[in-house]
Amino acid sequence: MNKVCWPYFDPDFENLPERIYGPTCRVCIDNERIEDCTVVKVNSVNKQGLHLEMVQVLTDMNLTISKSYISSDGGWFMDVFHVKDENGNKLNDKKVINYIQQAIGTTGEIPGSAMAKTYANKAVFGSENPSERTAIEMTGTDHPGLFSEISAALADLHCNILEAHAWSHNDRLACVAYVSDQSTNTPIYDPNRLAAIEDHLTTVLGATATTDEQPSPSGTHINPLEAVKTGGFLGGDIGIKTKVERRLHQLMLSVRDFDSPSIGLGSNGGGDDEGGQRRSRSPPVVWIESCDEKGYSVVSVECRDRPRLMFDTVCTLTDMQYVIFHASISSHGGLAFQEYFIRHVDGYALNTEGEKQRVIKCLEAAIERRVCEGVRLELCAENRIGLLSDITRVLRENGLAVVRADVATKGEKSMNAFYVRDVSGNEIDMDFVESMKREMGPIINLAVKYDTRRSSSSSSASPTSPSSPERPRFSFGDMFRSQIGRLSQNFVPIK
């Protein structure tokens, strides 16, 4: 018998970079430097998508990022975030600060490390029992009442809806739902039943078989009518750390919502103020310039400021396979200004006009998707089978269409948040909504809210074209252009 010899590998070899340079990710949280916000500074080993993961940690905690600076070259990077809590205050809660340090610290861990795996397992779904459900992803052409039809179809298929999220934009709908078996309250594993669910929902969405394929924004080919996918984990091969909102962005990109402008119910062409009155809204402005000195493309964005804006833009650039080397983000007077110095993952800048236009359209769509037009309804009720179907049916029968939905189950309660609009495009009759609230009161706790952030200073603050001499722009781009060379040359490992 021949003796087999294997080479010896020191078990501590994979930790060698940390032993040489120190921790692979350092997080510093400063509450003293600036009076009205908390500064979060991150120094870490660089990898594709890490900027997005850090922005995701902050936005998942509902923190507002008022300013940010990103600079990365070689194998290291530095991110600085100016953040506030939901009430516009500094972060004074020690538990929140410790959580940010732990969560961001693990994003920079070496893939496969024990700490990274532990945090990833906690963050897969963000619910009490993440493994006790089956994920269903749906895309299709939107029409009034479609979300209600999907809810009814799942109830008919004996699926208990534990969580659901839906976005509508430019006559396209993307929806992610988590369901369990109605009778056993366990995930659905039977492949025949999963296939039946897919077929039934595909019929509801109006999709038909086709062999025509279109290139997606990331360059791959997708079938726009493959509308339903079931699985045990959200996103399948995308990875367990992919969050629901990122997946919704990806699904919207896959059906090319950026390429289908319209003025129908699914499009977000206008807004409502606090009194439900219709008003116009300035669209975001995106343009691209070249930084020939360093081979970057400079993507600039001006739009109305809102929560999660930075996540939406960074998410889109990352999913389109662009690497962010430097960036500056700021907000002033209700407007947001963003500049990204990017290259494609292949190392090249945006060279063709077609590629530039595609990036511009995709960023505009990413910004608009989350801007929901209509009245926000929040409903809380005792959870039961078919509850979501019944609620959405009542809304549809009363001439209201759901343009965005967030549904979650917490214990025995079902928490539902809907943005609704009048099916015919008219202003919503608030007297009717109040009447419906009184009628549903004994069964469902209904609250009516308005998004006042969009309507504040609507007439005084609106982005203008980059060529306008009166453009109210406060940008750090010039500073970055003048210092990119120095930043790149002086980047050194953390010690």
Side-chain angles (χ1 to χ4, degrees):
M1 180 176 180
N2 295 330
K3 183 178 180 180
V4 179
C5 296
W6 299 96
Y8 172 75
F9 288 96
D10 190 327
D12 292 330
F13 179 77
E14 67 176 16
N15 299 323
L16 186 60
E18 182 170 343
R19 294 167 62 185
I20 295 175
Y21 300 113
T24 57
C25 183
R26 285 187 175 180
V27 183
C28 175
I29 298 181
D30 184 0
N31 256 331
E32 305 297 329
R33 180 180 174 186
I34 300 180
E35 182 178 354
D36 62 345
C37 67
T38 300
V39 178
V40 180
K41 181 189 293 186
V42 185
N43 294 278
S44 175
V45 173
N46 196 15
K47 68 176 182 179
Q48 168 66 345
L50 193 55
H51 299 301
L52 174 60
E53 293 179 23
M54 294 182 179
V55 172
Q56 184 169 281
V57 169
L58 299 176
T59 53
D60 281 349
M61 300 180 69
N62 294 321
L63 302 180
T64 300
I65 302 174
S66 58
K67 289 184 181 180
S68 179
Y69 313 94
I70 295 173
S71 186
S72 63
D73 268 306
W76 298 85
F77 79 84
M78 178 182 71
D79 284 8
V80 179
F81 304 97
H82 294 194
V83 300
K84 301 177 183 179
D85 63 17
E86 291 181 280
N87 299 318
N89 301 321
K90 282 185 172 185
L91 309 183
N92 295 314
D93 190 332
K94 292 295 183 182
K95 293 182 179 179
V96 173
I97 293 175
N98 292 337
Y99 176 81
I100 292 175
Q101 290 178 321
Q102 178 188 8
I104 292 184
T106 53
T107 62
E109 292 291 325
I110 298 174
S113 66
M115 184 177 292
K117 288 181 179 178
T118 300
Y119 178 72
N121 290 334
K122 292 180 180 179
V124 174
F125 295 105
S127 69
E128 297 176 356
N129 299 301
S131 61
E132 297 181 0
R133 52 189 186 175
T134 298
I136 304 177
E137 299 175 348
M138 293 160 276
T139 56
T141 302
D142 191 26
H143 64 259
L146 179 58
F147 186 69
S148 175
E149 295 169 11
I150 292 172
S151 305
L154 289 172
D156 291 341
L157 292 164
H158 306 291
C159 296
N160 181 24
I161 301 176
L162 304 175
E163 186 175 343
H165 305 274
W167 286 359
S168 174
H169 178 246
N170 275 350
D171 292 336
R172 297 289 186 268
L173 176 78
C175 178
V176 176
Y178 294 100
V179 302
S180 63
D181 181 80
Q182 176 179 322
S183 57
T184 63
N185 202 28
T186 59
I188 302 171
Y189 296 113
D190 183 359
N192 293 326
R193 186 176 177 190
L194 291 176
I197 291 173
E198 291 187 12
D199 290 342
H200 189 73
L201 289 175
T202 300
T203 301
V204 171
L205 289 163
T208 57
T210 180
T211 58
D212 296 332
E213 293 188 348
Q214 303 179 34
S216 73
S218 61
T220 59
H221 285 269
I222 55 95
N223 186 334
L225 295 181
E226 289 180 354
V228 182
K229 177 182 177 183
T230 59
F233 293 97
L234 173 65
D237 59 354
I238 300 298
I240 62 174
K241 295 181 76 173
T242 301
K243 300 287 183 159
V244 175
E245 291 182 349
R246 183 177 182 186
R247 190 57 184 155
L248 287 169
H249 276 300
Q250 293 169 343
L251 292 173
M252 279 298 205
L253 282 172
S254 72
V255 293
R256 304 178 67 86
D257 72 317
F258 60 90
D259 225 6
S260 305
S262 64
I263 314 178
L265 179 67
S267 63
N268 295 348
D272 297 300
D273 61 18
E274 296 94 334
Q277 300 302 313
R278 194 70 179 162
R279 62 175 177 80
S280 60
R281 177 171 48 83
S282 300
V285 177
V286 183
W287 70 97
I288 299 176
E289 301 170 313
S290 297
C291 181
D292 297 329
E293 180 183 355
K294 289 294 180 179
Y296 296 126
S297 291
V298 184
V299 179
S300 301
V301 178
E302 290 189 7
C303 64
R304 191 169 305 284
D305 194 21
R306 61 167 174 78
R308 298 180 178 265
L309 178 62
M310 185 177 180
F311 170 81
D312 293 339
T313 52
V314 173
C315 176
T316 300
L317 290 172
T318 302
D319 286 338
M320 293 181 71
Q321 301 299 305
Y322 291 102
V323 180
I324 299 173
F325 289 88
H326 305 278
S328 64
I329 314 297
S330 66
S331 59
H332 179 71
L335 294 179
F337 311 97
Q338 303 183 347
E339 285 185 311
Y340 299 99
F341 292 72
I342 68 170
R343 295 191 193 117
H344 196 269
V345 289
D346 60 12
Y348 294 97
L350 284 67
N351 296 319
T352 66
E353 190 62 29
E355 186 179 12
K356 292 179 181 179
Q357 288 302 315
R358 185 186 58 173
V359 171
I360 289 174
K361 292 168 68 175
C362 289
L363 283 173
E364 289 173 344
I367 295 170
E368 291 289 310
R369 284 181 199 125
R370 200 190 291 271
V371 182
C372 296
E373 316 306 340
V375 176
R376 177 180 171 91
L377 303 180
E378 294 182 358
L379 303 95
C380 177
E382 293 293 329
N383 190 33
R384 61 175 174 80
I385 304 299
L387 175 64
L388 181 60
S389 174
D390 292 342
I391 293 175
T392 55
R393 176 178 52 80
V394 170
L395 296 175
R396 181 179 60 177
E397 290 176 349
N398 286 279
L400 300 178
V402 177
V403 293
R404 177 176 163 186
D406 291 293
V407 177
T409 302
K410 295 183 179 180
E412 299 299 320
K413 295 288 186 179
S414 176
M415 314 297 294
N416 305 271
F418 305 106
Y419 279 89
V420 298
R421 292 175 59 184
D422 186 88
V423 172
S424 58
N426 299 322
E427 298 174 9
I428 294 180
D429 186 343
M430 297 311 300
D431 291 336
F432 162 73
V433 173
E434 291 297 330
S435 174
M436 185 174 63
K437 177 180 178 180
R438 289 191 296 270
E439 292 178 4
M440 299 174 71
I443 305 173
I444 298 175
N445 182 16
L446 170 63
V448 182
K449 294 189 176 183
Y450 307 94
D451 190 351
T452 58
R453 288 185 299 267
R454 292 197 321 271
S455 56
S456 60
S457 62
S458 60
S459 60
S460 60
S462 61
T464 58
S465 65
S467 60
S468 173
E470 298 180 4
R471 180 163 51 96
R473 181 170 182 240
F474 179 73
S475 167
F476 294 91
D478 294 338
M479 178 193 72
F480 268 81
R481 286 188 180 89
S482 63
Q483 297 189 15
I484 278 179
R486 181 179 61 81
L487 289 170
S488 302
Q489 294 168 6
N490 294 340
F491 240 88
V492 295
I494 305 168
K495 295 183 180 180

